[in-house]
Amino acid sequence: MIGLIDCNNFYVSCERVFQPRLEGLPVGVLSNNDGCVIARSNELKSLGVEMGTPAFELKGLLRQGRIRLLSSNYELYGDMSARVQAVLEEFSAGMEPYSIDEMFVRFDGFEHKQLLTHCRELHHKVRRFTGIPVSVGVAPTRTLAKLANRAAKKVPGYRGVCVLSAGGAETAGLLQRTELGDVWGVGRRLVERLALMDIRTAWDLAQADPKAIRRRFSVTLERTALELRGVPCTEMNDADEPRQRIMTSRSFGRLTDNRDEIHEALRQFGQRGAEKLRAQDSLARAVYVFLKTNRHRQDLPQYSPGAVVELARPTDDSREILHAVGQAFAAIYRPHYRFMKAGVMLIDLIDANRQQMSLLESPQSAAERERSEKLMATLDALNQRMGRGTVKLGMPSPSAAWHLRCANRSPRWTTRWRELPTITAPREARSVKGHPRPCD
DNA sequence: TCTGGGGTCCTAGGACCC
DNA sequence: TCTGGGGTCCTAGGACCC
């Protein structure tokens, strides 16, 4: 059986662990640059605030003091996620993180009742040990586990834990009540196309002929249909596979047409990408750079180019990657356009330990390679110990447009000594304080 | 004024080969 | 007049996910 553990309103829950006064209030967490809402407490959802709502549309509510909006604090969320995972590992033989707030786990050799008890305990302990509330869905396939998880969250009777068996009456009832769009892997487009075939619920899709689904749609949807019947079609990935692409991009704090400023932002993205590349022990064979103007500003000319530059050899050396970034940028930059976003994608990745030199690649001496490795390792070690961006290649640029806005970020309580909470306990009340620092 | 930042997988179609 | 067919590799783009 496969379990899906989903942290409820994860970012908001992380904030509430350290700021209990947010409990019971409508709270939202904003994307980078305080752009739009990416996490909502139940109270905020009840006010009708949708996922992705731009922050400026909520100014009224904010001014009236009816809602709270926080900047995102990814360092905190990442650390809390690791804590949740650590607890899960004690309850399962195999755990696979699916996203920052969802983890698949494997449960083998349980009977139904036993499994329910086991999951209730897990549900309780995660909350107890980390402060994060979770929902637990268990079923024979991942797609059904997703469905079970949704039920665990929405149907009060389940009290956060739902264990489904394939072919049971409970499963059938749930499938019949589930709209297609709520099935994992079925998006808006597919809902439209399936409606033409009179397939409207999860049950309808499960009953459809898988071969016909494959013919008219794709093998992906066929697998989804089979999984809804309880036939597993996706494997658990225990070994965490390295990423096949590494993307680093950001919206700027304001529109800019300044060539140097944009170039510097891209250099920073390139360096960050190279760090991620080295962390997963891969080499890149090419670099893709893109720019975007603001498509919401129809009054301004639009231009959103991108370019790929191949590297002379597969590499994880920031300097070579930045050189390619510079070339790509020079090829696509045009003055008089005001750009809103830019990014660097490292593509065509290979395993650093299984590098095969092609005849077309320019050779690198052993000494050169060793120097490069040492330099990069030192760079990474310093940045890890002293905080991201402590050592950078190139010139510092303190006032650039691409510095993030994050007006209201909570302290990184669990990962920075200087931001550790201090607790005072006077007679009348207790309070928790931290020392927020500007974004960096 | 103000609208995120990542990823994955699949398919169709063109280029090229024998 | 009649002008093959099967295979692989690559890329762009679509669709989906959180």
Side-chain angles (χ1 to χ4, degrees):
Chain A
M1 295 284 270
I2 295 171
L4 175 65
I5 319 301
D6 187 311
C7 301
N8 302 343
N9 314 326
F10 183 54
Y11 296 171
V12 171
S13 298
C14 289
E15 299 290 349
R16 282 176 169 170
V17 170
F18 293 92
Q19 303 183 72
R21 64 174 179 275
L22 295 176
E23 212 68 57
L25 301 179
V27 180
V29 173
L30 302 174
S31 62
N32 266 330
N33 266 323
D34 293 346
C36 56
V37 176
I38 53 170
R40 303 162 295 157
S41 72
N42 290 341
E43 298 80 6
L44 193 64
K45 289 176 191 171
S46 322
L47 286 179
V49 175
E50 294 296 322
M51 193 75 164
T53 305
F56 67 83
E57 287 181 8
L58 299 173
K59 277 206 167 142
L61 285 172
L62 194 62
R63 239 192 331 261
Q64 296 162 26
R66 294 177 59 198
I67 61 173
R68 304 291 176 86
L69 294 179
L70 302 170
S71 304
S72 43
N73 184 347
Y74 286 104
E75 207 165 303
L76 175 65
Y77 311 148
D79 187 59
M80 295 305 286
S81 177
R83 293 176 184 210
V84 172
Q85 289 175 37
V87 179
L88 296 185
E89 269 167 1
E90 293 182 21
F91 281 86
S92 160
M95 199 259 308
E96 180 197 336
Y98 175 68
S99 68
I100 194 166
D101 67 338
E102 288 176 51
M103 299 100 198
F104 283 109
V105 295
R106 204 170 31 217
F107 298 119
D108 296 327
F110 285 92
E111 287 172 22
H112 182 84
K113 258 197 125 167
Q114 247 185 335
L115 187 52
L116 198 57
T117 312
H118 187 70
C119 289
R120 285 237 160 271
E121 196 186 339
L122 176 158
H123 181 258
H124 174 71
K125 290 228 162 129
V126 172
R127 178 76 198 245
R128 181 88 189 274
F129 293 168
T130 68
I132 302 291
V134 295
S135 303
V136 183
V138 186
T141 68
R142 290 180 185 233
T143 307
L144 283 175
K146 271 272 190 188
L147 222 56
N149 191 287
R150 215 170 145 269
K153 193 169 294 180
K154 299 222 155 172
V155 182
Y158 284 119
R159 292 182 295 128
V161 179
C162 170
V163 180
L164 292 180
S165 54
E170 191 183 358
T171 309
L174 191 59
L175 287 172
Q176 283 158 8
R177 288 190 304 273
T178 303
E179 284 177 31
L180 259 187
D182 292 325
V183 173
W184 192 38
V186 182
R188 197 168 42 87
R189 287 305 171 85
L190 285 173
V191 169
E192 284 170 20
R193 289 174 59 198
L194 285 161
L196 299 177
M197 300 170 64
D198 218 29
I199 295 177
R200 294 166 200 283
T201 66
W203 177 256
D204 295 341
L205 183 56
Q207 298 310 302
D209 173 20
K211 290 288 162 254
I213 294 292
R214 181 183 196 138
R215 241 182 298 116
R216 303 182 64 155
F217 298 90
S218 67
V219 344
T220 328
L221 192 62
E222 181 195 22
R223 292 206 272 252
T224 299
L226 286 169
E227 287 231 330
L228 286 175
R229 295 186 182 191
V231 181
C233 298
T234 50
E235 291 299 309
M236 285 271 292
N237 267 333
D238 289 291
D240 34 344
E241 297 287 315
R243 304 247 167 274
Q244 298 172 22
R245 291 194 269 269
I246 291 176
M247 165 108 98
T248 310
S249 74
R250 211 74 54 183
S251 290
F252 302 133
R254 55 178 157 80
L255 298 181
T256 176
D257 60 355
N258 184 303
R259 181 181 186 125
D260 294 339
E261 197 169 72
I262 299 169
H263 190 189
E264 183 52 35
L266 286 170
R267 288 177 56 86
Q268 187 164 304
F269 302 155
Q271 287 181 68
R272 181 68 193 120
E275 270 174 37
K276 297 182 197 171
L277 190 67
R278 294 191 290 270
Q280 70 164 34
D281 228 6
S282 299
L283 304 176
R285 284 189 289 210
V287 173
Y288 174 73
V289 171
F290 67 87
L291 305 173
K292 285 184 195 296
T293 48
N294 185 347
R295 63 193 164 86
H296 299 287
R297 291 289 299 272
Q298 288 304 321
D299 54 320
L300 296 175
Q302 299 288 316
Y303 174 53
S304 297
V308 173
V309 169
E310 289 186 31
L311 293 154
R313 55 173 166 264
T315 186
D316 62 3
D317 188 309
S318 301
R319 296 166 299 175
E320 291 175 46
I321 287 166
L322 289 192
H323 182 69
V325 166
Q327 285 180 309
F329 176 58
I332 58 178
Y333 174 80
R334 300 282 180 277
H336 314 308
Y337 287 102
R338 304 180 63 202
F339 294 102
M340 186 195 69
K341 178 174 178 170
V344 171
M345 189 152 50
L346 304 180
I347 53 181
D348 230 340
L349 308 189
I350 57 170
D351 184 342
N353 302 312
R354 255 187 274 163
Q355 183 190 178
Q356 268 188 358
M357 179 70 87
S358 132
L359 289 176
L360 299 173
E361 285 156 10
S362 49
Q364 187 185 30
S365 75
E368 269 178 331
R369 196 168 52 240
E370 196 178 321
R371 271 187 34 194
S372 158
E373 274 173 23
K374 270 191 183 164
L375 179 61
M376 292 304 128
T378 308
L379 210 64
D380 291 341
L382 278 169
N383 283 330
Q384 216 199 336
R385 258 184 55 203
M386 315 294 286
R388 192 165 292 159
T390 302
V391 187
K392 284 188 281 199
L393 301 172
M395 305 299 286
S397 41
S399 66
W402 41 269
H403 280 282
L404 286 183
R405 277 196 308 246
C406 55
N408 200 10
R409 198 196 58 207
S410 53
R412 292 161 293 190
W413 314 94
T414 62
T415 52
R416 302 282 173 135
W417 288 111
R418 291 178 54 188
E419 300 177 28
L420 210 58
T422 50
I423 299 182
T424 52
R427 215 165 286 141
E428 61 278 18
R430 280 187 304 165
S431 64
V432 182
K433 282 185 187 154
H435 311 281
R437 290 169 60 203
C439 317
D440 55 21

